[in-house]
């Protein structure tokens, strides 16, 4: 993954909430199999899904989703910005600094969906913001800790990320191979949830567990949306100069690593499809590849797919 050194990344919607020891119980969720650790890995929190199901997320139509003002949510991260990203101005900065690389990926994702969503669906696009934090963070969905992993909060339409997740959990606990495209894949997946929120897709989630559940379909669709963005970035999009096969392989390995069956095995439990919420490793790789190969929202319609 290489960045265009002349690209302007200063508009990237990335902020930092700083370090906090706060947070705790409400946002911690179990890994499949019952081990309390790591929740929300590569996806959205179960408590967030509960908010989606119970606080009038519109189904089906474009422009659906939770309105932060009407639901009492606030864009927490907007008011907690540190100077972490102050020096991120150009793609040349992104080549040298991982924080600036995150900023550049945010710009790339925003530009891609600002073009693609109206073209393919006719829906208006509203960008998301990415908030990094350490320890704990206040969100429109409640207090969260580092233990939950990266997640999207539909109530404030922001993506939250403790950057220690990739080394400590994805590589350390779950045994992923790592690489510089792992974080972009995860951010693209979470941005996929933002697109689902805008399209009202989250309102389709009725069943929350099982290999063919709506929750799994939601997560696999977010993987497919991540693949769509990666396809566009592979040819160079003004921010990225392109991706190589190694980058795509890193994304596929990450998708495999956060498959429900893989997590169940790593937790020391037997594979139990009835407990799946995100999909198997094979399913997650398949749907990322579908988005990458097809590049359309229609191809990513997991809710109509007979077989996942």
């Amino acid at each position: 993954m290489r960045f265009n050194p002349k690209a302007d990344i200063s508009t990237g919607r990335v902020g930092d909430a700083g370090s906090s020891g706060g947070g705790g119980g409400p946002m911690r969720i179990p890994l499949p199999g019952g081990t309390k650790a790591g929740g929300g890995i590569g996806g959205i929190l179960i408590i967030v899904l509960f908010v989606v199901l119970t606080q009038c997320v519109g189904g089906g139509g474009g422009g659906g989703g939770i309105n932060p003002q009407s639901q009492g949510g606030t864009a927490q991260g907007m008011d907690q910005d540190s100077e972490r990203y102050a020096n991120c101005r150009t793609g040349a900065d992104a080549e040298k600094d991982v924080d600036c690389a995150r900023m550049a990926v945010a710009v790339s994702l925003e530009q891609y969906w600002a073009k693609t969503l109206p073209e393919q669906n006719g829906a208006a696009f509203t960008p998301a913001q990415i908030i990094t934090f350490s320890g704990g963070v206040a969100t429109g969905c409640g207090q969260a800790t580092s233990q939950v992993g990266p997640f999207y909060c539909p109530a404030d339409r922001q993506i939250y990320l403790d950057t220690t997740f990739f080394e400590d959990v994805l590589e350390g606990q779950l045994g992923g191979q790592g690489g510089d495209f792992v974080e972009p894949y995860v951010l693209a997946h979470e941005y996929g949830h933002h697109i689902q929120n805008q399209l009202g897709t989250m309102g389709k989630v009725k069943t929350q567990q099982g290999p063919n559940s709506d929750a799994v379909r939601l997560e696999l669709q977010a993987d497919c949306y991540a693949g769509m963005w990666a396809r566009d970035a592979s040819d160079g999009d003004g921010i990225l100069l392109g991706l190589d096969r190694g980058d795509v392989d890193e994304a596929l390995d990450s998708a495999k690593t956060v498959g429900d069956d893989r997590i169940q095995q790593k937790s020391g439990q037997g594979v139990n499809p009835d407990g799946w919420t995100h999909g198997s490793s094979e399913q997650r790789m398949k749907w990322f590849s579908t988005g990458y190969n097809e590049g359309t929202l229609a191809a990513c319609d997991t809710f109509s797919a007979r077989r996942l």
Side-chain angles (χ1 to χ4, degrees):
M1 180 177 66
R2 296 182 300 117
F3 298 98
N4 177 358
K6 296 181 179 180
D8 179 6
I9 65 169
S10 63
T11 60
R13 297 173 189 268
V14 184
D16 187 68
S19 177
S20 169
M27 302 297 279
R28 185 179 302 173
I29 68 172
L31 287 172
T35 303
K36 280 194 172 183
I41 296 172
I44 60 175
L45 306 178
I46 286 178
I47 191 169
V48 173
L49 189 55
F50 176 77
V51 171
V52 171
L53 292 173
T54 59
Q55 296 191 16
C56 68
V57 174
I66 293 175
N67 182 308
Q69 284 70 40
S70 66
Q71 295 300 324
T74 56
Q76 302 285 341
M78 294 288 287
D79 300 324
Q80 302 180 37
D81 198 7
S82 73
E83 294 298 310
R84 181 171 182 174
Y85 301 98
N87 296 321
C88 298
R89 299 296 178 189
T90 70
D93 298 322
E95 285 287 334
K96 298 180 293 185
D97 185 279
V98 293
D99 287 337
C100 297
R102 185 174 306 118
M103 181 88 86
V105 169
V107 175
S108 176
L109 283 164
E110 181 175 329
Q111 291 182 351
Y112 173 72
W113 285 112
K115 172 187 65 176
T116 302
L117 199 60
E119 284 182 352
Q120 294 194 19
N121 181 270
F125 170 76
T126 302
Q129 177 161 356
I130 297 167
I131 302 297
T132 52
F133 69 95
S134 177
V137 64
T139 82
C141 298
Q143 190 77 14
T145 72
S146 300
Q147 294 173 311
V148 301
F151 65 96
Y152 172 72
C153 173
D156 61 24
R157 301 182 182 184
Q158 297 192 95
I159 295 163
Y160 292 89
L161 172 71
D162 185 327
T163 54
T164 62
F165 164 80
F166 298 100
E167 183 175 355
D168 294 349
V169 179
L170 200 61
E171 297 176 42
Q173 295 180 31
L174 298 179
Q177 71 179 28
D180 62 1
F181 199 68
V182 173
E183 183 176 325
Y185 155 71
V186 172
L187 290 176
H189 173 99
E190 301 306 336
Y191 220 100
H193 284 310
H194 179 62
I195 300 304
Q196 292 170 324
N197 192 26
Q198 292 193 49
L199 293 176
T201 312
M202 288 181 170
K204 296 182 178 181
V205 177
K206 307 301 181 185
T207 54
Q208 300 182 45
Q209 285 186 314
N212 294 300
S213 65
D214 296 336
V216 166
R217 291 175 188 274
L218 190 79
E219 296 298 335
L220 296 180
Q221 186 177 66
D223 279 331
C224 194
Y225 287 173
M228 288 176 61
W229 166 75
R231 173 191 176 99
D232 185 72
S234 291
D235 294 329
D237 60 3
I239 303 298
L240 285 90
L241 292 178
L243 306 179
D244 58 28
R245 186 65 223 180
D247 294 318
V248 177
D249 286 344
E250 288 169 5
L252 289 169
D253 179 77
S254 298
K256 178 179 71 175
T257 300
V258 292
D260 282 329
D261 51 346
R262 170 75 171 262
I263 294 173
Q264 287 175 333
Q265 290 171 335
K266 287 290 183 178
S267 71
Q269 307 294 320
V271 174
N272 176 21
D274 289 338
W276 290 359
T277 59
H278 286 64
S280 69
S281 294
E282 181 181 0
Q283 288 172 326
R284 300 198 70 166
M285 289 189 292
K286 171 190 171 180
W287 283 100
F288 176 87
S289 296
T290 297
Y292 185 83
N293 292 327
E294 301 296 332
T296 66
L297 291 169
C300 292
D301 185 4
T302 54
F303 286 85
S304 296
R306 292 188 177 182
R307 296 187 61 183
L308 296 175

